[in-house]
Amino acid sequence: MGIPLSISSDLDLELEDIIGQCVAILGIRGSGKSNTAGVIFEELLRNNYPLSIIDIDGEYFGLKEKYEVLVVGRGEGVEIEVDETCAEEIAQISMEKNVPVVVDLSGFLSDERTAFLQEYLGALWNLAGKLRHPYIIGIEEAHEFIPQGVKTELKELIARVALRGRKRGLGAIVISQRSAKVDKDVLSQAGMLFLHRVVHEVDMRVYSELLPWRKAETKEIITALSTGECVYLNGDNVIPIYVRERETFHAGFTPSLEVVVTPELKQVSQAIIEAIEHAKQGKGKKTRIDQLEEQLAHLESEAMKKDETIARLEGIARTLGYIKIEVPQPSYPDVQNISKAIVHSVEHPGSASGRSPAPSRAVGTVATKVAPPAAPLGVIDIEPSTAPTEADDPMVLPDAVIRHIERIVKRVSRKSILHRRILSFVVGHAPLAYSVDQIAAWTNCARGVIDNDPPRDFLEMGLLVRERRSGKMHYHSNLKEYVAREFGLFQPDLGISDLHRIMRHLQARLVLLGEEQ
Ligand SMILES: Nc1ncnc2c1ncn2[C@@H]1O[C@H](COP(=O)(O)OP(=O)(O)OP(=O)(O)O)[C@@H](O)[C@H]1O
Ligand SMILES: [Mg+2]
């Protein structure tokens, strides 16, 4: 046999039934929700059950008429004005010393409310995890803190208490006049409901989902409820009840012409008040100097973080600079001379003295691998060379042709640097064909990189040709043919010498594009 609670003569309820419960009290304005909640709180206080009431309208300080309750916050019946800075201490006093607390939020601005509740409920949750003894939190106008469809940090905290508090002995009593606006997950977890009168269709729908009756029945029964009456719902137990009137002063009573006198209120022990005053002085309102010092410390730490970021970025920049220096670009003038030496050595095998400077050891290696010059395929016979002369000046060409040259250069410039380097080397050393090994050596790229990422764009454009010679892949310039094709449209206005000029000019431009990053 448990400890009976005197809530309604129609209802047998015991204190044990409340432990770890999520209780919902719903109904329209003036239907008697706060009275019902007040009656439950009275019964809990009578049995020394520890609790906190989150009181948005300053309705519950009247409990002090009979019980020792600490009222904090900002409002009419408040004993100690506090803000979020000492919320944690109050939660600790309440839970550890078994002191019932009413948190009067009626004088707080909405962000102050949120700040206080986050600290307070967060602290209660953590303490409940350690202490694991029964404790209940009542929340008035719960739809403001656990609105359906909106995600806030505070809502998550309250929902956590409602959904997962049981294992910590933590219960919740959520009170709301907007049934449809309260988070559905929390409502669905409520094991005990006091459903007062509602009239709006949306609220009635919520009731219909909760109650086992047909819709029309639900509507009929619920709309017939008068003040103080409600449907009590707990599992299979569904009964209409009348909740007794509060014994203690109900500051949220509906005003009448009768004179209401606020009764004598009980005070919590002086030691508790002093403990909170002490916490307030330590962490309470900060002086302007404190605030500025805090701001300064914050700015200093921000500046320090920024300095660290700058140092880190400088390090990265240095590393990048180092890499850039360490990767030598091919020296094209040298390449041209060496190429001529190669051509010369191919044309005059056995000749020791060439027109070009003597090739280096690396050049010698390449020279031995050079394939025979590619067979001429073009429609125009042009002597390839990379050094443009005055005769190659494109300015003498028609505007349309110059524009087309620029389009081609632009298109090439958008391709990857690896491909541009390959193009630059092969076009700059036309008409010979070069193996991938040779190109790799001259462009300073690993052979595998070229194998994996061949210059497909330029093969497709027709600037380069790839063919297998002696079992090895070779590339050679196709610029002559490319120019003939691309600029063939402009004939007969363009003569052979013009095509030649275009080719020389393009060749020089493409060689340069291999040097740009
Ligand atoms: N069981 C009851 N017996 C007698 N009077 C009651 C009962 N319940 C509520 N009342 C009275 O009805 C009025 C409204 O009650 P209460 O403040 O509890 O309603 P409420 O649903 O909380 O309203 P609100 O949504 O405006 O907060 C009060 O004056 C209260 O004293
Ligand atoms: Mg109320």
Side-chain angles (χ1 to χ4, degrees), residues 17-271:
D17 297 332
I18 298 274
I19 298 174
Q21 269 288 5
C22 178
V23 180
I25 304 173
L26 307 173
I28 53 161
R29 296 199 62 193
S31 57
K33 302 179 298 295
S34 297
N35 181 79
T36 299
V39 167
I40 296 172
F41 294 137
E42 282 176 352
E43 290 300 300
L44 294 174
L45 289 170
R46 194 162 56 80
N47 289 290
N48 295 316
Y49 196 101
L51 54 86
S52 274
I53 302 169
I54 309 303
D55 182 6
I56 205 165
D57 283 327
E59 287 181 283
Y60 291 93
F61 69 87
L63 289 168
K64 285 168 72 71
E65 195 184 341
K66 257 189 135 173
Y67 305 101
E68 271 191 22
V69 180
L70 172 69
V71 184
V72 295
R74 209 176 292 155
E76 196 192 335
V78 158
E79 285 160 279
I80 315 173
E81 271 210 15
V82 293
D83 60 18
E84 79 276 6
T85 54
C86 42
E88 201 181 328
E89 277 80 2
I90 297 166
Q92 206 166 350
I93 287 169
S94 177
M95 226 179 220
E96 287 177 353
K97 296 195 169 22
N98 218 353
V99 176
V101 172
V102 170
V103 178
D104 184 344
L105 300 173
S106 60
F108 279 161
L109 298 173
S110 87
D111 54 339
E112 291 173 322
R113 258 196 225 169
T114 308
F116 187 93
L117 288 182
Q118 258 168 231
E119 289 292 320
Y120 190 67
L121 299 178
L124 285 180
W125 173 261
N126 293 337
L127 286 161
K130 283 187 221 151
L131 300 172
R132 290 180 185 272
H133 64 61
Y135 193 96
I136 205 154
I137 305 169
I139 303 170
E140 266 282 1
E141 307 293 354
H143 55 274
E144 296 219 2
F145 307 115
I146 44 170
Q148 168 67 10
V150 183
K151 217 174 163 190
T152 68
E153 220 174 296
L154 181 57
K155 176 177 162 177
E156 273 182 33
L157 195 49
I158 297 173
R160 205 188 304 156
V161 172
L163 308 182
R164 290 169 35 215
R166 196 183 51 78
K167 285 185 195 147
R168 300 177 178 221
L170 210 50
I173 300 179
V174 293
I175 306 146
S176 175
Q177 52 171 289
R178 314 290 296 273
S179 318
K181 295 211 164 170
V182 180
D183 184 67
K184 293 282 167 294
D185 287 344
V186 173
L187 268 196
S188 67
Q189 286 302 307
M192 187 183 286
L193 294 105
F194 294 84
L195 303 175
H196 286 265
R197 187 166 185 262
V198 290
V199 286
H200 299 301
E201 200 45 50
V202 276
D203 296 327
M204 199 63 82
R205 231 176 282 146
V206 175
Y207 276 27
S208 294
E209 281 169 25
L210 293 166
L211 292 164
W213 305 319
R214 281 184 293 115
K215 238 178 167 180
E217 263 176 350
T218 303
K219 194 169 181 179
E220 199 183 324
I221 295 168
I222 295 296
T223 44
L225 296 169
S226 49
T227 307
E229 288 179 340
C230 64
V231 172
Y232 171 81
L233 171 66
N234 187 345
D236 293 338
N237 194 9
V238 190
I239 40 165
I241 59 167
Y242 167 76
V243 178
R244 72 165 170 83
E245 214 175 339
R246 261 175 78 165
E247 292 165 352
T248 52
F249 175 67
H250 178 25
F253 64 93
T254 307
S256 70
L257 293 174
E258 280 177 47
V259 179
V260 180
V261 184
T262 310
E264 275 285 303
L265 301 175
K266 282 186 183 282
Q267 296 295 320
V268 288
S269 83
Q270 196 52 36

Side-chain angles (χ1 to χ4, degrees), residues 290-397:
D290 287 343
Q291 285 173 359
L292 288 173
E293 272 178 357
E294 232 173 58
Q295 240 173 317
L296 191 67
H298 174 71
L299 290 173
E300 273 172 358
S301 94
E302 287 290 301
M304 227 151 80
K305 274 188 222 154
K306 289 206 169 106
D307 283 348
E308 278 167 16
T309 309
I310 290 167
R312 194 165 48 79
L313 291 174
E314 276 176 354
I316 292 170
R318 264 198 304 277
T319 311
L320 288 174
Y322 174 75
I323 289 166
K324 200 173 166 190
I325 291 160
E326 282 300 291
V327 180
Q329 299 295 311
S331 161
Y332 289 101
D334 281 357
V335 167
Q336 287 162 23
N337 290 334
I338 292 159
S339 168
K340 280 176 192 161
I342 295 166
V343 173
H344 182 75
S345 69
V346 169
E347 283 169 356
H348 311 281
S351 150
S353 64
R355 284 173 292 151
S356 307
S360 66
R361 196 172 60 81
V363 170
T365 317
V366 172
T368 59
K369 291 180 183 169
V370 167
L377 299 162
V379 286
I380 331 158
D381 189 21
I382 313 163
E383 271 282 311
S385 156
T386 52
T389 63
E390 271 178 40
D392 304 327
D393 183 2
M395 299 320 285
V396 298
L397 294 164

Side-chain angles (χ1 to χ4, degrees), residues 310-507:
I310 290 167
R312 194 165 48 79
L313 291 174
E314 276 176 354
I316 292 170
R318 264 198 304 277
T319 311
L320 288 174
Y322 174 75
I323 289 166
K324 200 173 166 190
I325 291 160
E326 282 300 291
V327 180
Q329 299 295 311
S331 161
Y332 289 101
D334 281 357
V335 167
Q336 287 162 23
N337 290 334
I338 292 159
S339 168
K340 280 176 192 161
I342 295 166
V343 173
H344 182 75
S345 69
V346 169
E347 283 169 356
H348 311 281
S351 150
S353 64
R355 284 173 292 151
S356 307
S360 66
R361 196 172 60 81
V363 170
T365 317
V366 172
T368 59
K369 291 180 183 169
V370 167
L377 299 162
V379 286
I380 331 158
D381 189 21
I382 313 163
E383 271 282 311
S385 156
T386 52
T389 63
E390 271 178 40
D392 304 327
D393 183 2
M395 299 320 285
V396 298
L397 294 164
D399 283 353
V401 172
I402 293 173
R403 276 199 302 277
H404 196 55
I405 290 175
E406 290 310 320
R407 269 198 295 275
I408 293 165
V409 170
K410 201 165 172 193
R411 193 169 162 202
V412 170
S413 71
R414 284 199 290 257
K415 307 299 178 191
S416 78
I417 180 65
L418 169 70
H419 291 180
R420 279 187 276 130
R421 270 201 223 164
I422 296 169
L423 179 74
S424 167
F425 172 74
V426 176
V427 165
H429 297 84
L432 296 183
Y434 296 91
S435 69
V436 173
D437 282 338
Q438 288 169 322
I439 296 170
W442 287 106
T443 56
N444 232 333
C445 295
R447 191 212 140 110
V449 174
I450 301 174
D451 280 338
N452 287 335
D453 184 18
R456 279 201 192 87
D457 322 315
F458 300 139
L459 292 168
E460 277 163 21
M461 277 174 81
L463 280 165
L464 294 178
V465 167
R466 183 170 58 168
E467 34 187 48
R468 194 172 284 280
R469 293 185 185 182
S470 341
K472 282 187 171 181
M473 211 49 100
H474 284 68
Y475 288 86
H476 68 80
S477 168
N478 200 38
L479 190 58
K480 239 179 359 176
E481 293 74 7
Y482 179 80
V483 168
R485 200 180 60 230
E486 282 291 319
F487 294 86
L489 285 174
F490 298 96
Q491 281 177 319
D493 300 84
L494 290 181
I496 289 183
S497 62
D498 292 325
L499 289 176
H500 191 92
R501 187 177 288 119
I502 293 167
M503 205 213 73
R504 301 271 297 179
H505 179 74
L506 257 182
Q507 186 183 31

